[in-house]
Amino acid sequence: FAGLQNYVRAWLQADAAPYDIWEFSVLTRSSENARFEFIENGKKVCTDKHIARHGIQRLPSGQLEMSKYVCNYVGFGLDARVGFGFDKLRQNNRALNKGVYVWEGIKKLLFKKKGVIGHIVDSMQVLPSSSSIGAARDGHGVVDKPAPGDAPV
């Protein structure tokens, strides 16, 4: 327990630091048929309500863009697939949630075809840091006008 006590002591004495907040944008390929899909009542749909809620925009290039704020972590691999499956089946019971998490892990690891990142993501860019990110509202942020000298986000 000495090692654990040392870690807890270090955590309690550590300086508080704000979370890393990232703006994450997803662009589709240019196509009139491009769309984002959301699961609603077991069906993949994209309604006007989804477009408004998620701030989906059609760009002049024909691409669709959806931007979100995320904290600390972005995953595309098996961990993200397990987490997403867990989130869809989450229960109001801690023991059941552990079972759901185990089931999703086993299912994704043993029975589902593994995704290839190159089939999902064409490119990734690190953009200059910006102080223009306003307060994220309800997990769906609103970006304020860029401050003078800030690069567009």
Side-chain angles (χ1 to χ4, degrees), residues 93-108:
N93 178 297
R94 184 179 292 178
L96 286 176
N97 280 338
K98 289 179 181 181
V100 167
Y101 202 81
V102 167
W103 168 246
E104 285 299 310
I106 290 170
K107 184 171 74 173
K108 298 297 193 283

Side-chain angles (χ1 to χ4, degrees), residues 53-108:
R53 179 170 190 245
H54 296 284
I56 298 171
Q57 299 177 9
R58 182 165 296 276
L59 303 178
S61 65
Q63 295 174 296
L64 292 178
E65 178 180 39
M66 178 171 49
S67 296
K68 296 288 182 181
Y69 291 101
V70 294
C71 294
N72 275 344
Y73 180 80
V74 174
F76 296 99
L78 182 62
D79 57 330
R81 295 177 67 207
V82 170
F84 183 68
F86 167 75
D87 203 45
K88 290 191 312 186
L89 299 173
R90 181 185 300 263
Q91 303 296 313
N92 289 328
N93 178 297
R94 184 179 292 178
L96 286 176
N97 280 338
K98 289 179 181 181
V100 167
Y101 202 81
V102 167
W103 168 246
E104 285 299 310
I106 290 170
K107 184 171 74 173
K108 298 297 193 283

Side-chain angles (χ1 to χ4, degrees), residues 38 40 46-56:
F38 303 89
E40 191 170 281
C46 186
T47 64
D48 289 340
K49 183 179 174 183
H50 291 117
I51 291 169
R53 179 170 190 245
H54 296 284
I56 298 171

Side-chain angles (χ1 to χ4, degrees), residues 107-125:
K107 184 171 74 173
K108 298 297 193 283
L109 186 62
L110 299 178
F111 304 116
K112 295 289 183 172
K113 183 178 176 185
K114 310 302 181 275
V116 176
I117 192 71
H119 295 166
I120 301 168
V121 176
D122 286 333
S123 67
M124 292 184 81
Q125 301 174 4

